[in-house]
Amino acid sequence: PFGSERVRSRDLILVEGFLDCLSLHAAGQDNVVALGGAALTEEQIETLSTARIHSLTLNLDYDGPDGVGEKALLQALDRIAGAPFSVYIVNPADMVDNGNVTDKVDPDLYVRTHGIDGYNELIAKAVKGPVYRAQRILAAYDLTTDRGRDDAIREILEYLGKLSSELDREDVLRATAAATGYTEGALAATLDEIAQREAGDRTARELRRALDHAQGQLSRPDNDARKVADEVLGQLLDLRRQNATDGPAEFSVDTILESIRTADEGRLSGWRPLDDLGVRFHPAELAVLGARTGHGKTTALLCLLLNWLEAYPEERFVFFSYELPPEAVLLKLASALTRRYASDGWTYYEIRDWLQGRERANHFGNPASLDQAFDFLRACEERLAVVYRPGWSVTELAAHAHGLAAQGEPPGGILVDYLQLIGPPDGHYDRRDIEVSQVARHLKALAVGLSCPVVSAAQIGRQAAQQAERIPPGDFDDRTVQEAIRRRRPQLHHLREGGSEQEADLVVGLLNYRADYLEDRGNGPADRDLPGPFEMLVLKNRYGPLGTARMVLEGPTGTLRELEVGEEWYE
C-alpha cells in the first residue's frame, strides 16, 4: 500500500486515495496507508500479513449506502477475513453529518472539515470489521421469518469459515445470536457440524483417490504389491495426520492480549467489602458459596440475586431452587427488600400472616415497604425465572437453562441452591464426592455454554466445626468466644471433601458467627434475632487475591448487608 515506507506504527489506518493519505500525513496522522483505488488486492493483503501489524482500520470513501465505497468495503472485509491481525472499520454512516446517508465524504474531506482531533474521534469509534460484516449480512434478510433467519445464518456460517481468529468468530456468533434469537451454543454447534461434515467429505475424497490409484497399480501386469501397499499406507498416515484434532492450539500473544482487552469485567456482587477484594463473577465461570448448615447459603444467594436485579436492570436471571418452593422464594425476597426500604423490615412469617389475614401479638411493619417490595418483584417478572424441580438431575437443569436462553437473550446469571441436592448425570459412581464433582463439572459446562456466571451454594459438613475446639463459656461478644468462632472458619479443603472445589473458578466460604454460637450452645439466648457478624472468605479466586469481607446478617429478614455508620465489628 502507498505510504507504507513511512509508517512505524503497528496499528494502521487504510484509506482509498493517495490524496487522503497525504492529507492525513500532513495533519500529523502518520500511520495511514492508501490502496490507490477502491479494491484491496491480494498482493496488498499479503504485504500487510507479512508486516506483523497488530491492527488495520479501514476508512474507505463513503458515497451512499449502495455506492461503490460500501461495496468495496464489504469486499475488502471478505478478502481480509483470514488475515493474522485485528480488523476494524470506520462505520461509513459515522462520517456523514446530520444523518444524511446520501452525502459523499472521504477522509481528506472529513479531516479538512472536522480537523485532526475530530478525525481521531472518528477513528476511536471504529467497530470490529467481522461484526460489521455480519450485521450487513443479517440486514439483507427478513429475520422475522423462519426462511429469512435460516438463509441469514447459512451465509453467516459461510463467512465464519473464512475467519481465522477465534475471538472474531465468537463476536460474530454473539451478534448473530442477538439478531436471530438463536443461542451462541446452537450456532457454534451448527458450525462445528458443518466443519466436521466438510472435513469428512474431504477425507472420503482423498481416501477414494488413494484406493483408486492403488487398484490401478495392482491391475498392471508388472505390479509390485508390496510397493503399492507401502504407498497406500503412507497416504493413509498422511490423511490421519491431516484429520488429527487433538493437537495444541497455536500460541498467539496478540490474540491472547486482545481477548484480555475485550473480556467482560464480570458481575459485581453489590457488597462493597467483597467487591473491594477484586471479586467478580465472570461469564463462563462457576462460583461456589460454601457454608455449614444454617450459616446463610440461601440467604446469601437470594441477596446476591436482589443485588443483581437492581444493578443490572436489562439482564435476566434464573434461580434454581432444590429446597424452597417459589412461594417461599418470593416471601424471602420480599422480606429482604422491606429491610432495604425501611429500618423495620418484615419477617418471612409476618408477611405470610399478613397475606392470610392472621392477627399477631406484635405489630406488623410498615405496609408501604411491603407494597414497594412486591411492586419491585412484579417489575422483575419478565427477567426473573424461579425454577423449583427438586427431582431434576444436573442434565435436566442444564437443558432447561439452555431452553430459557433460546427464548431470548442468554441470562445474566444463574444461581443454584444448592450443589449437593442436584442429581448427578446418568451413570454409576462409586463415591458421593465423585457424584458431586460431576454435578459441579456440568454446572461449569453450563456457564461456558451460555457464557454467563453460574453461582451455586454448597454445603460443608458439620465435621469442619467438630474438628475445631469448642467455644468457651461466655457471652456472645466476649473476645475469647469471638476468637474461638474465628478458628472455625471454613477452609478450602472442607469444600474439597465435597468434590466441587476443583471445578470452581471462585470459592467463597461463609461464616455466620451467631449461628455458630447458637449451634454450640444448643438452645440459644433471647438475642438470636439480633444482627450478627458474617464473614465472606475468598478461598479461591482465579483473577484476584484472597481475603475476608466483613458483613452483617440480619436473620429475621434474611438481609446480608454492609456495616452501617457507627456499627462496629467484634474484635
Side-chain angles (χ1 to χ4, degrees):
F2 174 78
S4 300
E5 69 283 353
R6 294 188 51 179
V7 173
R8 295 295 178 267
S9 172
R10 290 193 174 186
D11 298 295
L12 302 187
I13 299 172
L14 185 65
V15 297
E16 281 190 25
F18 301 144
L19 183 59
D20 297 321
C21 182
L22 294 173
S23 295
L24 289 167
H25 283 178
Q29 196 78 27
D30 57 2
N31 62 332
V32 182
V33 295
L35 291 175
L40 181 64
T41 68
E42 293 297 329
E43 184 179 5
Q44 289 169 331
I45 293 174
E46 183 178 355
T47 299
L48 292 168
S49 297
T50 56
R52 300 181 65 82
I53 66 173
H54 291 161
S55 69
L56 183 70
T57 301
L58 303 180
N59 183 203
L60 306 186
D61 294 356
Y62 183 64
D63 51 4
D66 298 316
V68 174
E70 172 75 357
K71 294 177 181 176
L73 175 60
L74 298 181
Q75 290 174 353
L77 288 173
D78 286 340
R79 288 181 174 179
I80 211 166
F85 47 78
S86 299
V87 177
Y88 299 87
I89 70 147
V90 173
N91 190 329
D94 288 340
M95 299 177 66
V96 180
D97 291 329
N98 303 319
N100 186 358
V101 295
T102 61
D103 286 350
K104 297 183 178 181
V105 68
D106 56 34
D108 170 47
L109 176 60
Y110 195 92
V111 77
R112 283 190 283 114
T113 55
H114 295 77
I116 191 61
D117 290 338
Y119 184 75
N120 284 328
E121 291 177 4
L122 177 71
I123 294 298
K125 293 191 291 185
V127 298
K128 277 201 164 186
V131 173
Y132 180 83
R133 184 67 183 102
Q135 291 171 341
R136 297 299 297 162
I137 291 173
L138 294 166
Y141 294 92
D142 181 2
L143 300 181
T144 63
T145 66
D146 291 339
R147 180 171 182 178
R149 285 195 299 271
D150 290 344
D151 289 344
I153 289 173
R154 191 174 295 110
E155 187 171 348
I156 287 289
L157 293 177
E158 182 180 346
Y159 176 64
L160 281 170
K162 301 177 182 178
L163 297 175
S164 59
S165 168
E166 190 61 34
L167 291 174
D168 288 342
R169 290 157 68 94
E170 291 176 0
D171 288 337
V172 169
L173 284 174
R174 191 174 298 115
T176 305
T180 62
Y182 290 90
T183 66
E184 294 177 44
L187 293 171
T190 302
L191 179 64
D192 288 341
E193 182 181 344
I194 292 173
Q196 291 176 9
R197 185 168 61 247
E198 291 178 348
D201 291 343
R202 287 194 300 270
T203 300
R205 288 194 298 271
E206 293 295 328
L207 183 58
R208 279 194 293 268
R209 185 178 297 113
L211 294 177
D212 288 344
H213 176 74
Q215 188 172 2
Q217 291 292 98
L218 290 173
S219 65
R220 297 176 54 177
D222 58 343
N223 73 79
D224 185 338
R226 295 176 62 181
K227 182 178 179 180
V228 173
D230 289 342
E231 185 177 351
V232 171
L233 179 59
Q235 292 173 324
L236 293 178
L237 290 174
D238 285 341
L239 280 176
R240 182 179 178 181
R241 282 192 293 269
Q242 293 169 14
N243 287 277
T245 58
D246 56 351
E250 180 182 352
F251 179 77
S252 169
V253 173
D254 291 335
T255 299
I256 296 173
L257 291 177
E258 179 68 12
S259 69
I260 295 172
R261 279 192 289 264
T262 59
D264 190 302
E265 67 173 0
R267 298 266 180 272
L268 295 169
S269 71
W271 296 303
R272 187 169 51 187
L274 192 62
D275 295 337
D276 287 349
L277 289 175
V279 170
R280 300 294 184 269
F281 296 86
H282 293 278
E285 292 187 355
L286 172 64
V288 172
L289 308 183
R292 300 196 298 276
T293 301
H295 275 245
K297 297 186 300 296
T298 301
T299 296
L301 274 184
L302 291 175
C303 288
L304 178 63
L305 174 61
L306 287 177
N307 291 349
W308 283 357
L309 287 170
E310 291 178 337
Y312 305 101
E314 305 300 322
E315 299 282 359
R316 296 192 308 155
F317 298 95
V318 186
F319 185 84
F320 285 98
S321 174
Y322 277 74
E323 198 166 34
L324 300 177
E327 297 82 1
V329 172
L330 173 65
L331 295 185
K332 284 182 175 291
L333 291 174
S335 176
L337 283 169
T338 62
R339 176 59 182 87
R340 297 187 183 198
Y341 300 147
S343 59
D344 56 341
W346 292 62
T347 70
Y348 174 96
Y349 298 105
E350 287 172 344
I351 298 175
R352 187 189 60 184
D353 289 350
W354 172 273
L355 293 174
Q356 294 176 351
R358 296 176 182 173
E359 296 292 335
R360 292 182 66 91
N362 57 336
H363 70 284
F364 288 104
N366 185 351
S369 65
L370 185 58
D371 290 340
Q372 188 177 358
F374 284 137
D375 287 343
F376 175 80
L377 292 172
R378 288 189 188 96
C380 295
E381 286 179 353
E382 295 299 320
R383 57 192 191 92
L384 173 60
V386 177
V387 182
Y388 177 61
R389 290 292 186 272
W392 273 2
S393 69
V394 68
T395 307
E396 292 168 306
L397 180 154
H400 187 73
H402 279 285
L404 290 174
Q407 299 172 15
E409 290 290 324
I414 294 173
L415 301 97
V416 186
D417 187 29
Y418 58 89
L419 192 68
Q420 283 84 356
L421 295 179
I422 307 172
D426 290 341
H428 175 72
Y429 306 97
D430 295 329
R431 301 194 313 271
R432 174 60 177 156
D433 64 305
I434 298 177
E435 288 186 357
V436 176
S437 179
Q438 285 297 315
V439 170
R441 184 168 299 174
H442 278 67
L443 291 180
K444 168 70 175 179
L446 175 63
V448 173
L450 294 183
S451 189
C452 75
V454 172
V455 186
S456 177
Q459 185 160 300
I460 294 175
R462 294 180 185 274
Q463 64 272 19
Q466 293 170 354
Q467 293 169 359
E469 64 184 66
R470 289 185 59 83
I471 298 175
D475 294 334
F476 176 69
D477 54 357
D478 284 352
R479 179 182 296 274
T480 55
V481 169
Q482 294 294 311
E483 290 176 350
I485 294 175
R486 275 194 285 274
R487 286 194 288 269
R488 299 155 74 101
R489 285 169 170 163
Q491 304 295 324
L492 192 60
H493 68 85
H494 296 153
L495 199 64
R496 186 178 299 126
E497 292 166 0
S500 58
E501 177 271 337
Q502 291 184 347
E503 311 302 331
D505 302 281
L506 171 68
V507 176
V508 178
L510 311 179
L511 178 62
N512 180 351
Y513 276 54
R514 199 170 292 281
D516 220 33
Y517 180 74
L518 297 177
E519 179 182 324
D520 188 79
R521 288 289 186 269
N523 295 325
D527 65 351
R528 67 167 53 248
D529 290 341
L530 293 177
F534 189 95
E535 287 185 342
M536 305 186 79
L537 302 108
V538 183
L539 305 176
K540 179 181 179 180
N541 186 5
R542 292 195 191 279
Y543 300 103
L546 308 182
T548 301
R550 292 178 166 183
M551 308 281 293
V552 173
L553 178 65
E554 296 184 3
T557 58
T559 300
L560 183 59
R561 61 171 175 81
E562 303 171 18
L563 274 73
E564 297 177 344
V565 176
E567 200 169 23
E568 295 183 358
W569 185 269
Y570 290 97
E571 291 291 354

